[in-house]
Amino acid sequence: MATLSKILKSVLGFVLLVAIVWVVLANYSVIFSKTVVGEVINVERVELPVALIARAGGELNEKVFSFAISIKDDTTNELFAATSEDRQWAIVQKGQCAEAVYLPYPPWELKKRGTYFGARLVKLYECPKK
């Protein structure tokens, strides 16, 4: 009976470990996101060289609303750059201040490791006078 209890505890522990690893891997970008507060250095719409054909009742591809964003962090003076398909970036102008959450590529994507694929605009405001 004691052996069965040990086996059951071991299997349950293994299943719990696998579940935790799966949650971390599936949500890596959110768990390890970086919040950047600072001045918007540049925000540009990424123009795609494609013809836009809309279907009746169809949705446009999200890539049409792609932006490239660069923010200078107030604390470290480091520049953070990312692309985003968040339409809120359409109103952001160079020289304004913003708080944005940058989502990193996971380390197992070796060619993109250390870079960011998403920048979610959290707060937009006028920079205080220096």
Side-chain angles (χ1 to χ4, degrees):
M1 193 66 169
T3 307
L4 184 60
S5 176
K6 280 185 176 182
I7 292 173
L8 186 60
K9 285 181 183 178
S10 296
V11 168
L12 187 60
F14 179 74
V15 168
L16 185 61
L17 179 67
V18 167
I20 290 171
V21 168
W22 180 79
V23 167
V24 169
L25 292 178
N27 298 299
Y28 178 87
S29 295
V30 175
I31 293 170
F32 296 102
S33 64
K34 175 146 181 75
T35 300
V36 177
V37 177
E39 182 180 352
V40 176
I41 301 301
N42 209 348
V43 59
E44 295 285 334
R45 180 182 297 271
V46 178
E47 299 291 336
L48 297 174
V50 295
L52 297 177
I53 301 173
R55 292 176 284 143
E59 296 276 330
L60 284 176
N61 187 342
E62 287 295 319
K63 299 284 184 207
V64 173
F65 305 104
S66 252
F67 295 91
I69 300 106
S70 176
I71 297 178
K72 183 177 182 181
D73 191 351
D74 282 342
T75 56
T76 64
N77 285 335
E78 186 178 354
L79 291 175
F80 287 90
T83 57
S84 179
E85 293 172 5
D86 185 355
R87 295 179 189 191
Q88 293 182 44
W89 288 108
I91 63 164
V92 177
Q93 296 176 5
K94 190 181 199 179
Q96 291 178 319
C97 284
E99 178 182 338
V101 175
Y102 280 70
L103 303 173
Y105 280 105
W108 53 87
E109 290 192 32
L110 297 177
K111 290 184 180 180
K112 298 177 181 179
R113 185 178 49 85
T115 62
Y116 300 93
F117 70 88
R120 175 79 173 115
L121 182 62
V122 176
K123 186 166 81 172
L124 179 66
Y125 55 96
E126 291 298 324
C127 292
K129 302 290 183 201
K130 295 181 180 178

